[in-house]
Amino acid sequence: MNKIVIAIDGYSGCGKSSTAKAVAKDLGYTYIDSGAMYRAATLHFLNNFLSPSNPHDVEKGLKSLEISFHLNPDTHKQETYLNGLNVEGEIRTMRISNKVSEVATVAAIRKELVAQQQRLGKKKGVVMDGRDIGSVVFPNADLKVFMTADLDTRAIRRQEELLEKGELVDLQEIKANLADRDRVDSSRVESPLKKMPDALEVDTSNITFAEQVGKIVHSARQIIDKQESYAGKH
Ligand code: CDP
C-alpha cells in the first residue's frame, strides 16, 4: 500500500498527540511527537543551567543534545530519551510546560530539531504532530490537519492527563499556561503556529475521540486511494 506523510498542527493541549498516535496505529504508521523534542531540549537547557537566550549557551546545549524515542516493551508506548536517559515523565510536568515555548522561539534550536524531524520522516508512513509540521517540517505533506478546541475543554483534559501522572495542578494555572503558549507559539518570528490554507480543520470541542481519529483516518485513506488509482493509470 502507498504510504503518506500526515502533519498534525494545532494549539496546546487540544489532543494532537493522542489523536496522532491513534491515527498512526490505525494505519500502521510511525508516530513522531515533535513537541516531546522541544520539551526534552528545554529539560536539557534547564538541567545544565544554559540560557536559551545566550547564543554561546545555545551552541553548547545543542552540541550535547541527543534525543531519541524508544518503545516501552511493557506499555507498548513510545517514550522520549534525552542523552540515553528516559525523560518521558519529566518532560510532561508543568516545570517544562512553563519554559518550553520560550526555548522553542530560538532559531538555532528549531533548525536542529527540524533537521532531526525531517530525517525521522524520510521513509513516509509517518504521522507527526506539532506547530510547524505542515508549514516548515513537511510543507509537502500529503495530509495536513489543523486541530483546535476551546480553551476550557483543553484545560480540563490537560488537568486530567496531569492527574493521571500524579501531578495535581490548579485549573486556572493550566488555562494560563495553555493561553500563554498559544500566544507565544502563534506570534513568534520563527515558524509561528498558523493554519495552512490546505489543512483540514478539526475542532475537537464537541466531538468524541473516536470521531476525531475517524475523520483523519478517513481523509488519509481517501488520499491513499487517490494516489494508488493515479499510479495505476500511469
Ligand atoms: O502537548 P502540548 O499541546 O502541551 O504541547 P507539545 O506538542 O508537547 O509542545 C510543547 C511546546 O513545544 C509548544 O507549546 C511549542 O512551544 C513547542 N513546539 C514547537 O514550537 N514546534 C513544534 N513542532 C512542536 C512543539
Side-chain angles (χ1 to χ4, degrees):
M1 203 161 88
N2 203 23
K3 290 204 163 182
I4 65 168
V5 172
I6 304 175
I8 304 184
D9 291 300
Y11 295 107
S12 294
C14 61
K16 294 182 305 292
S17 300
S18 35
T19 306
K21 241 177 253 172
V23 169
K25 195 171 172 206
D26 192 300
L27 296 169
Y29 282 15
T30 305
Y31 162 63
I32 300 161
D33 180 351
S34 73
M37 298 171 79
Y38 288 93
R39 288 174 175 274
T42 303
L43 178 63
H44 182 62
F45 276 74
L46 283 175
N47 281 352
N48 292 287
F49 304 99
L50 296 167
S51 163
S53 54
N54 176 333
H56 293 292
D57 279 6
V58 170
E59 198 187 330
K60 204 169 150 194
L62 288 177
K63 258 189 204 147
S64 52
L65 175 72
E66 205 222 290
I67 301 166
S68 55
F69 296 107
H70 301 283
L71 204 68
N72 180 324
D74 296 329
T75 60
H76 301 285
K77 285 188 179 152
Q78 189 173 277
E79 296 183 335
T80 314
Y81 281 70
L82 167 63
N83 294 337
L85 287 180
N86 187 330
V87 292
E88 185 56 36
E90 215 173 338
I91 60 168
R92 311 285 169 193
T93 60
M94 285 305 281
R95 175 175 168 246
I96 301 302
S97 295
N98 286 330
K99 272 272 166 202
V100 62
S101 285
E102 183 193 331
V103 171
T105 59
V106 181
I109 298 176
R110 301 203 70 84
K111 193 172 167 214
E112 174 58 31
L113 295 189
V114 166
Q116 290 189 19
Q117 288 151 12
Q118 288 172 334
R119 280 199 293 277
L120 289 169
K122 235 184 181 157
K123 281 191 279 179
K124 292 219 162 194
V126 159
V127 185
M128 192 178 291
D129 79 312
R131 304 291 184 289
D132 60 342
I133 310 306
S135 56
V136 176
V137 181
F138 299 127
N140 297 321
D142 305 273
L143 173 59
K144 296 180 189 178
V145 178
F146 190 82
M147 279 178 61
T148 60
D150 62 59
L151 186 59
D152 285 322
T153 308
R154 292 192 270 143
I156 291 168
R157 287 182 191 157
R158 182 50 52 97
Q159 191 186 42
E160 282 165 6
E161 265 172 36
L162 285 164
L163 203 55
E164 269 168 31
K165 289 175 186 146
E167 196 181 0
L168 174 62
V169 188
D170 181 73
L171 198 60
Q172 291 310 319
E173 187 187 337
I174 295 175
K175 251 171 111 166
N177 173 260
L178 296 178
D180 196 51
R181 283 200 284 135
D182 287 350
R183 184 182 54 75
V184 177
D185 294 346
S186 308
S187 62
R188 67 185 177 216
V189 180
E190 284 300 321
S191 325
L193 166 67
K194 57 170 184 255
K195 181 185 175 286
M196 297 306 283
D198 52 347
L200 166 77
E201 187 164 338
V202 180
D203 183 339
T204 69
S205 310
N206 296 307
I207 59 175
T208 65
F209 182 71
E211 280 169 339
Q212 69 208 40
V213 174
K215 261 183 191 220
I216 301 171
V217 170
H218 177 73
S219 299
R221 291 202 190 281
Q222 274 184 329
I223 291 167
I224 295 166
D225 286 349
K226 216 160 142 189
Q227 288 184 357
E228 282 181 349
S229 70
Y230 181 82
K233 282 188 203 134
H234 292 83

